[in-house]
Amino acid sequence: VQTCALPIWDEIRNRYPLSSKVSQEILDERIEMFKSLCKQDSELRPLIRRTFVCVKYYPATKIKKRLKALPSRAEDFLFSEVREATSEVKEFFEILETMKSASKLKLKEVPPPALLDSLRRFLNPREYYERDFMTYNPNAAVSDQLLFTSPKLSYASFEREGVKSKSIVLKVCPRRSTPGAVAAFLALPFPFRISMNFSFPDKIKVNRALDLKAFFLQNTPSAGARRLKADLDQVQDKIAHGDKCLNMTLTLIVEGETDDELNRRIREIVNVFHRDLEAEVIVDEDIGLGLCLNTLPLMYSPEADFSSQRHIRILDSEVLNFIPIFDSYNGNGDPLQLYLS
């Protein structure tokens, strides 16, 4: 909320070092106007959009190999473990390099000081703009360099220095999925965080669950069951043609200093979900704190995602429509009219 100490204002002033006195006064007045708009929910409020991609790699546990290594000597067992860990690290770096080279967007690695700065800004929303923090210490854990004021925790919210947060999570898969579907959120005149956590379930388990659901729907004599069975047949047909099924947890974190401000922002976000995405959401009052912590970088874990049971199954071809990075809309690829000259 308090953005007076942001370095961006100094950067704007430093871009015009040789301006006249009149121009400098006009620039200072304009910067002060934008500073005041930072504290209001206005259409002219300057907002910075940042997107972080966090990749976590979980190597498969080779139980049989470890059982065979138990009778061996300690140094042989240690050597094999180090060699296996080194191989897994190399494989992980290969995955990252492949993702960077295949991405059409320029991806930049976030250094530890920048990651610490981002977390401090979220966890200390007032203190961050009022004082200077210590520089990053590589010899100490990141978790020991984050909090400088004890937060107030509850099942529903995460309150830091008087700023309350609520978690809004997607309940079911949206009925309508178009490229750039989340562009409607850009019209909201206040800051928020969108987190999309993905996990990749085993293909055999996915097919087994879909077959079981199809069996019960086929033996249920109702119109709703027939409609769901038709939708399920389309999903199975797409999977048979190469699509993959993912588990996606879409969480939106909204903040407010007062309950009235927080509730008003929640209503605006829920209206966007209902009006533009035709999707149902949950303003989670039971595990809102856990969902909020699970959206922070390096905090996601499949165990927490599985225990919350807030994920939905979605095809990878539809996931691209909800990624909050999009270009100009190019159409559906199936034109309704074709004009010839």
Side-chain angles (χ1 to χ4, degrees), residues 48-64:
I48 300 175
R49 273 180 281 164
R50 290 192 178 96
T51 302
F52 296 92
V53 179
C54 181
V55 181
K56 301 193 73 174
Y57 179 69
Y58 298 91
T61 305
K62 301 177 182 179
I63 301 178
K64 292 183 179 180

PDB file of all heavy atoms in Angstrom, residues 48-64:
ATOM      1  N   ILE A  48       2.595  -2.906 -11.058  1.00  0.00           N
ATOM      2  CA  ILE A  48       3.691  -3.625 -11.701  1.00  0.00           C
ATOM      3  C   ILE A  48       3.319  -5.103 -11.766  1.00  0.00           C
ATOM      4  O   ILE A  48       2.941  -5.699 -10.761  1.00  0.00           O
ATOM      5  CB  ILE A  48       5.015  -3.443 -10.943  1.00  0.00           C
ATOM      6  CG1 ILE A  48       5.388  -1.959 -10.880  1.00  0.00           C
ATOM      7  CG2 ILE A  48       6.135  -4.241 -11.604  1.00  0.00           C
ATOM      8  CD1 ILE A  48       6.618  -1.684 -10.046  1.00  0.00           C
ATOM      9  N   ARG A  49       3.421  -5.684 -12.953  1.00  0.00           N
ATOM     10  CA  ARG A  49       3.116  -7.103 -13.120  1.00  0.00           C
ATOM     11  C   ARG A  49       4.419  -7.892 -13.207  1.00  0.00           C
ATOM     12  O   ARG A  49       5.282  -7.594 -14.025  1.00  0.00           O
ATOM     13  CB  ARG A  49       2.302  -7.327 -14.394  1.00  0.00           C
ATOM     14  CG  ARG A  49       0.804  -7.182 -14.199  1.00  0.00           C
ATOM     15  CD  ARG A  49       0.089  -7.416 -15.494  1.00  0.00           C
ATOM     16  NE  ARG A  49       0.147  -6.236 -16.338  1.00  0.00           N
ATOM     17  CZ  ARG A  49      -0.126  -6.237 -17.641  1.00  0.00           C
ATOM     18  NH1 ARG A  49      -0.424  -7.361 -18.239  1.00  0.00           N
ATOM     19  NH2 ARG A  49      -0.073  -5.134 -18.344  1.00  0.00           N
ATOM     20  N   ARG A  50       4.535  -8.881 -12.356  1.00  0.00           N
ATOM     21  CA  ARG A  50       5.695  -9.777 -12.377  1.00  0.00           C
ATOM     22  C   ARG A  50       5.197 -11.211 -12.390  1.00  0.00           C
ATOM     23  O   ARG A  50       4.211 -11.542 -11.740  1.00  0.00           O
ATOM     24  CB  ARG A  50       6.592  -9.554 -11.152  1.00  0.00           C
ATOM     25  CG  ARG A  50       7.351  -8.229 -11.149  1.00  0.00           C
ATOM     26  CD  ARG A  50       8.406  -8.243 -10.062  1.00  0.00           C
ATOM     27  NE  ARG A  50       9.200  -7.019 -10.046  1.00  0.00           N
ATOM     28  CZ  ARG A  50       8.951  -5.991  -9.255  1.00  0.00           C
ATOM     29  NH1 ARG A  50       7.942  -6.044  -8.403  1.00  0.00           N
ATOM     30  NH2 ARG A  50       9.706  -4.920  -9.298  1.00  0.00           N
ATOM     31  N   THR A  51       5.899 -12.054 -13.114  1.00  0.00           N
ATOM     32  CA  THR A  51       5.544 -13.468 -13.203  1.00  0.00           C
ATOM     33  C   THR A  51       6.759 -14.301 -12.815  1.00  0.00           C
ATOM     34  O   THR A  51       7.848 -14.122 -13.378  1.00  0.00           O
ATOM     35  CB  THR A  51       5.089 -13.837 -14.620  1.00  0.00           C
ATOM     36  OG1 THR A  51       3.983 -13.027 -14.988  1.00  0.00           O
ATOM     37  CG2 THR A  51       4.666 -15.297 -14.676  1.00  0.00           C
ATOM     38  N   PHE A  52       6.560 -15.191 -11.858  1.00  0.00           N
ATOM     39  CA  PHE A  52       7.625 -16.086 -11.400  1.00  0.00           C
ATOM     40  C   PHE A  52       7.239 -17.522 -11.741  1.00  0.00           C
ATOM     41  O   PHE A  52       6.086 -17.919 -11.542  1.00  0.00           O
ATOM     42  CB  PHE A  52       7.851 -15.964  -9.890  1.00  0.00           C
ATOM     43  CG  PHE A  52       8.343 -14.607  -9.457  1.00  0.00           C
ATOM     44  CD1 PHE A  52       7.458 -13.624  -9.070  1.00  0.00           C
ATOM     45  CD2 PHE A  52       9.699 -14.321  -9.437  1.00  0.00           C
ATOM     46  CE1 PHE A  52       7.896 -12.375  -8.674  1.00  0.00           C
ATOM     47  CE2 PHE A  52      10.155 -13.082  -9.041  1.00  0.00           C
ATOM     48  CZ  PHE A  52       9.255 -12.107  -8.654  1.00  0.00           C
ATOM     49  N   VAL A  53       8.205 -18.276 -12.242  1.00  0.00           N
ATOM     50  CA  VAL A  53       8.013 -19.693 -12.529  1.00  0.00           C
ATOM     51  C   VAL A  53       8.936 -20.467 -11.606  1.00  0.00           C
ATOM     52  O   VAL A  53      10.156 -20.298 -11.640  1.00  0.00           O
ATOM     53  CB  VAL A  53       8.328 -20.020 -14.001  1.00  0.00           C
ATOM     54  CG1 VAL A  53       8.129 -21.514 -14.260  1.00  0.00           C
ATOM     55  CG2 VAL A  53       7.441 -19.201 -14.930  1.00  0.00           C
ATOM     56  N   CYS A  54       8.344 -21.293 -10.771  1.00  0.00           N
ATOM     57  CA  CYS A  54       9.109 -22.095  -9.811  1.00  0.00           C
ATOM     58  C   CYS A  54       8.986 -23.573 -10.195  1.00  0.00           C
ATOM     59  O   CYS A  54       7.871 -24.096 -10.304  1.00  0.00           O
ATOM     60  CB  CYS A  54       8.587 -21.868  -8.389  1.00  0.00           C
ATOM     61  SG  CYS A  54       9.496 -22.792  -7.128  1.00  0.00           S
ATOM     62  N   VAL A  55      10.100 -24.208 -10.428  1.00  0.00           N
ATOM     63  CA  VAL A  55      10.132 -25.618 -10.828  1.00  0.00           C
ATOM     64  C   VAL A  55      10.759 -26.421  -9.689  1.00  0.00           C
ATOM     65  O   VAL A  55      11.886 -26.137  -9.265  1.00  0.00           O
ATOM     66  CB  VAL A  55      10.948 -25.815 -12.117  1.00  0.00           C
ATOM     67  CG1 VAL A  55      10.944 -27.278 -12.528  1.00  0.00           C
ATOM     68  CG2 VAL A  55      10.390 -24.951 -13.237  1.00  0.00           C
ATOM     69  N   LYS A  56      10.027 -27.412  -9.205  1.00  0.00           N
ATOM     70  CA  LYS A  56      10.540 -28.293  -8.150  1.00  0.00           C
ATOM     71  C   LYS A  56      10.639 -29.708  -8.710  1.00  0.00           C
ATOM     72  O   LYS A  56       9.721 -30.197  -9.362  1.00  0.00           O
ATOM     73  CB  LYS A  56       9.634 -28.256  -6.918  1.00  0.00           C
ATOM     74  CG  LYS A  56       9.478 -26.866  -6.313  1.00  0.00           C
ATOM     75  CD  LYS A  56       8.841 -26.902  -4.936  1.00  0.00           C
ATOM     76  CE  LYS A  56       9.779 -27.415  -3.895  1.00  0.00           C
ATOM     77  NZ  LYS A  56       9.227 -27.328  -2.523  1.00  0.00           N
ATOM     78  N   TYR A  57      11.742 -30.333  -8.449  1.00  0.00           N
ATOM     79  CA  TYR A  57      12.049 -31.641  -9.020  1.00  0.00           C
ATOM     80  C   TYR A  57      12.127 -32.662  -7.892  1.00  0.00           C
ATOM     81  O   TYR A  57      12.861 -32.474  -6.922  1.00  0.00           O
ATOM     82  CB  TYR A  57      13.371 -31.578  -9.783  1.00  0.00           C
ATOM     83  CG  TYR A  57      13.810 -32.875 -10.402  1.00  0.00           C
ATOM     84  CD1 TYR A  57      13.120 -33.426 -11.476  1.00  0.00           C
ATOM     85  CD2 TYR A  57      14.932 -33.551  -9.918  1.00  0.00           C
ATOM     86  CE1 TYR A  57      13.534 -34.610 -12.056  1.00  0.00           C
ATOM     87  CE2 TYR A  57      15.355 -34.730 -10.485  1.00  0.00           C
ATOM     88  CZ  TYR A  57      14.647 -35.261 -11.557  1.00  0.00           C
ATOM     89  OH  TYR A  57      15.071 -36.439 -12.114  1.00  0.00           O
ATOM     90  N   TYR A  58      11.359 -33.747  -8.034  1.00  0.00           N
ATOM     91  CA  TYR A  58      11.329 -34.797  -7.017  1.00  0.00           C
ATOM     92  C   TYR A  58      11.812 -36.097  -7.663  1.00  0.00           C
ATOM     93  O   TYR A  58      11.063 -36.738  -8.406  1.00  0.00           O
ATOM     94  CB  TYR A  58       9.914 -34.986  -6.461  1.00  0.00           C
ATOM     95  CG  TYR A  58       9.358 -33.764  -5.776  1.00  0.00           C
ATOM     96  CD1 TYR A  58       8.619 -32.824  -6.495  1.00  0.00           C
ATOM     97  CD2 TYR A  58       9.572 -33.536  -4.432  1.00  0.00           C
ATOM     98  CE1 TYR A  58       8.114 -31.698  -5.873  1.00  0.00           C
ATOM     99  CE2 TYR A  58       9.068 -32.405  -3.798  1.00  0.00           C
ATOM    100  CZ  TYR A  58       8.337 -31.498  -4.537  1.00  0.00           C
ATOM    101  OH  TYR A  58       7.836 -30.369  -3.926  1.00  0.00           O
ATOM    102  N   PRO A  59      13.061 -36.489  -7.435  1.00  0.00           N
ATOM    103  CA  PRO A  59      13.558 -37.736  -8.045  1.00  0.00           C
ATOM    104  C   PRO A  59      12.855 -38.948  -7.475  1.00  0.00           C
ATOM    105  O   PRO A  59      12.453 -38.977  -6.301  1.00  0.00           O
ATOM    106  CB  PRO A  59      15.054 -37.731  -7.687  1.00  0.00           C
ATOM    107  CG  PRO A  59      15.155 -36.847  -6.485  1.00  0.00           C
ATOM    108  CD  PRO A  59      14.075 -35.809  -6.627  1.00  0.00           C
ATOM    109  N   ALA A  60      12.696 -39.938  -8.315  1.00  0.00           N
ATOM    110  CA  ALA A  60      12.024 -41.169  -7.891  1.00  0.00           C
ATOM    111  C   ALA A  60      12.917 -41.949  -6.933  1.00  0.00           C
ATOM    112  O   ALA A  60      14.133 -42.060  -7.128  1.00  0.00           O
ATOM    113  CB  ALA A  60      11.675 -42.020  -9.113  1.00  0.00           C
ATOM    114  N   THR A  61      12.311 -42.489  -5.888  1.00  0.00           N
ATOM    115  CA  THR A  61      13.049 -43.270  -4.901  1.00  0.00           C
ATOM    116  C   THR A  61      13.222 -44.703  -5.394  1.00  0.00           C
ATOM    117  O   THR A  61      12.246 -45.372  -5.733  1.00  0.00           O
ATOM    118  CB  THR A  61      12.297 -43.269  -3.561  1.00  0.00           C
ATOM    119  OG1 THR A  61      12.065 -41.925  -3.149  1.00  0.00           O
ATOM    120  CG2 THR A  61      13.110 -43.980  -2.496  1.00  0.00           C
ATOM    121  N   LYS A  62      14.456 -45.150  -5.463  1.00  0.00           N
ATOM    122  CA  LYS A  62      14.758 -46.497  -5.944  1.00  0.00           C
ATOM    123  C   LYS A  62      14.969 -47.412  -4.738  1.00  0.00           C
ATOM    124  O   LYS A  62      16.078 -47.560  -4.219  1.00  0.00           O
ATOM    125  CB  LYS A  62      15.983 -46.469  -6.840  1.00  0.00           C
ATOM    126  CG  LYS A  62      15.800 -45.550  -8.063  1.00  0.00           C
ATOM    127  CD  LYS A  62      17.066 -45.479  -8.898  1.00  0.00           C
ATOM    128  CE  LYS A  62      16.883 -44.539 -10.075  1.00  0.00           C
ATOM    129  NZ  LYS A  62      18.105 -44.425 -10.892  1.00  0.00           N
ATOM    130  N   ILE A  63      13.864 -48.018  -4.295  1.00  0.00           N
ATOM    131  CA  ILE A  63      13.913 -48.821  -3.065  1.00  0.00           C
ATOM    132  C   ILE A  63      14.697 -50.108  -3.278  1.00  0.00           C
ATOM    133  O   ILE A  63      15.527 -50.511  -2.449  1.00  0.00           O
ATOM    134  CB  ILE A  63      12.484 -49.118  -2.586  1.00  0.00           C
ATOM    135  CG1 ILE A  63      11.739 -47.797  -2.313  1.00  0.00           C
ATOM    136  CG2 ILE A  63      12.514 -49.983  -1.335  1.00  0.00           C
ATOM    137  CD1 ILE A  63      10.310 -47.994  -1.888  1.00  0.00           C
ATOM    138  N   LYS A  64      14.474 -50.780  -4.411  1.00  0.00           N
ATOM    139  CA  LYS A  64      15.143 -52.063  -4.643  1.00  0.00           C
ATOM    140  C   LYS A  64      16.656 -51.888  -4.709  1.00  0.00           C
ATOM    141  O   LYS A  64      17.418 -52.708  -4.209  1.00  0.00           O
ATOM    142  CB  LYS A  64      14.623 -52.679  -5.943  1.00  0.00           C
ATOM    143  CG  LYS A  64      13.161 -53.115  -5.879  1.00  0.00           C
ATOM    144  CD  LYS A  64      12.733 -53.792  -7.172  1.00  0.00           C
ATOM    145  CE  LYS A  64      11.284 -54.244  -7.085  1.00  0.00           C
ATOM    146  NZ  LYS A  64      10.847 -54.910  -8.341  1.00  0.00           N
TER     147      LYS A  64
END
